[in-house]
Amino acid sequence: MVFQKPPDGGWGWVIVVVSFFTQFLCYGSPLAVGVLYLEWLDTFGEGKGKTAWVGSLANGIGLLASPVCSICVSSFGARPVAIFSGFMVAGGLMMSSFAPNIYFLYISYGIVVGLGCGLLYTATVTITCQYFDKRRGLALGLISTGSSVGLFIYAALQRELIELYGLDGCLLIVGALSLNILACGSLMRPLESYGSPPSEKSCVDKVPDQYFVYHEKEKTVEENISILEKGYVDERCVNTPDNKQDCILNKNVLSSINVNEKDTYKKKVVEQTNFCKQLAKRKWQLYLNYWEETVVLFKNKVFSALFVAILLFDIGGFPPALLMEDIARSANVNEDDYHMPLISIIGIMTAVGKLILGILADFEWVNTLYLYVTTLIMMGLALFAIPFAKSYLTLAMLSAILGFLTGNWSIFPYVTTKTVGIEKLTHAYGILMFFAGLGNSLGPPIVGWFYDWTQEYDTAFYFSGLCVSLGGFLLLLAALPCWNACAKQSSKLPPNTYSYKVA
């Protein structure tokens, strides 16, 4: 299906608003899970590494299932997927309020809520990219701030709800709020295509003629049946001795017709079997084409480095959003010094970062790939500084820096689109989000295990800073002209594909 030219406005701004609130409602609790993390530590008494799996699964499982999410959005559209996912997120949060142990939370909060968030994220990003082209960076920046604003508000909201209604009541109320996703999803009107889907008749017309070899034979069988019926009637009606020869002749004709009918039936079965085999071959060819396209994507050096960078970025960059409150408690920070939760600071600065970086991506003189690399290297340096922060002020400053740099999520779809083209966005983005989900799932438990082994967070965040910095340098090296002959490859690139060059 070929979509019409993106309108860059009109109903597209409605899509931006509802996508903003969709990400606000679905990601508010999972991103602010650090508040719930402390309660789960006290309630179930499990280790920090094991408890961290709940939040990491909620934020990682949806990204791990991104290829499946992309297929769902491509097959059913953004609107049905968003409505269905709203039920998943709300139901998972409500089920979590009845969790008897940490393992139940792995399923209800980690898998059900996480998978619903992954479907919603893919739906909002895909439909926004379809409605915007020139202002795509701004649009993606606006909708991605929804999750950051949700983190900022839900961090304080969940803390207040826990104090008023307890952990179970908090999860029930947050789940009820998530039902508003259904209203947002119903407004995601799909962008009209150039041509309407082919009708049943046209689809049949496209089938090769060889599959209809038995079509005329069916008519022969029907004619034979009518002859048979006529023969039987004549045989019953005419019983005089004078017509015995005619009866014998009719019997011979009937026997020959039965033989012809059996032969025709056998040929018809053979033709139908061949038809089914051809369809199976076509389906298998589609799967082969999918994997061939995947191999072509990974032949692009920038794309290959991009998937390594996003994996390392999420292993090292995601844990602070989940564990910053526990880091402050481990550093013996006085609770009276708290003017604002550290998670809220990360959330509001992430929103600012997404918006500013999204606006910068729309300027022609800005190379979005290098902008993304810069945020990775700076985040690595900020992670190295966490072990030296021993007061609320320094932790708040680092939280603000990390939050702003985490806003590079808003330009990541933009970088992916410019790397592979809008036609392959869904395919490529699904692959990249799979590795991002793998990093999200592994990051917090690794940091928690480091703490369980060493009883301090210093070693863990040295490791995190190394991962993020390494991903940034690898992506920078892959984009340099000396590694790929840009002039030769640019002529071979498909339409709407952007080749990164040094300015």
Side-chain angles (χ1 to χ4, degrees), residues 32-94:
V33 73
V35 176
L36 304 176
Y37 172 75
L38 298 177
E39 298 296 324
W40 288 330
L41 281 174
D42 299 335
T43 302
F44 300 113
E46 301 287 352
K48 294 188 178 182
K50 184 182 290 187
T51 308
W53 271 111
V54 180
S56 62
L57 283 174
N59 288 277
I61 198 69
L63 298 178
L64 282 171
S66 287
V68 178
C69 297
S70 300
I71 293 173
C72 291
V73 174
S74 300
S75 303
F76 304 105
R79 179 188 287 172
V81 170
I83 294 174
F84 175 77
S85 304
F87 283 111
M88 290 187 65
V89 174
L93 290 170
M94 293 180 181

Side-chain angles (χ1 to χ4, degrees), residues 30 33-34 36-42 44-61 102-103 105-106 109-111 318-324 326 437-452 457:
V33 73
L36 304 176
Y37 172 75
L38 298 177
E39 298 296 324
W40 288 330
L41 281 174
D42 299 335
F44 300 113
E46 301 287 352
K48 294 188 178 182
K50 184 182 290 187
T51 308
W53 271 111
V54 180
S56 62
L57 283 174
N59 288 277
I61 198 69
I102 198 71
Y103 303 103
L105 286 172
Y106 289 164
Y109 198 97
I111 296 178
F318 176 65
L322 176 62
L323 304 172
M324 191 58 77
D326 192 50
L438 186 62
N440 265 350
S441 300
L442 295 177
I446 289 175
V447 173
W449 290 332
F450 269 116
Y451 183 89
D452 292 336
Y457 279 113

Side-chain angles (χ1 to χ4, degrees), residues 45 47 56 67 82 120 164 166 206 211 252 264-265 315 404 425 480 490:
S56 62
L120 286 168
L164 294 174
K206 291 181 181 179
Y211 297 139
N252 294 332
T264 304
Y265 177 75
I315 289 177
F404 180 85
L425 172 64
L480 293 178
S490 60

Side-chain angles (χ1 to χ4, degrees), residues 367 418-419 484-487 489-490 493 497-502:
N367 190 309
K418 291 296 183 180
T419 303
N484 52 350
C486 296
Q489 291 186 358
S490 60
L493 290 174
T497 303
Y498 184 84
S499 178
Y500 286 109
K501 298 181 182 179
V502 176

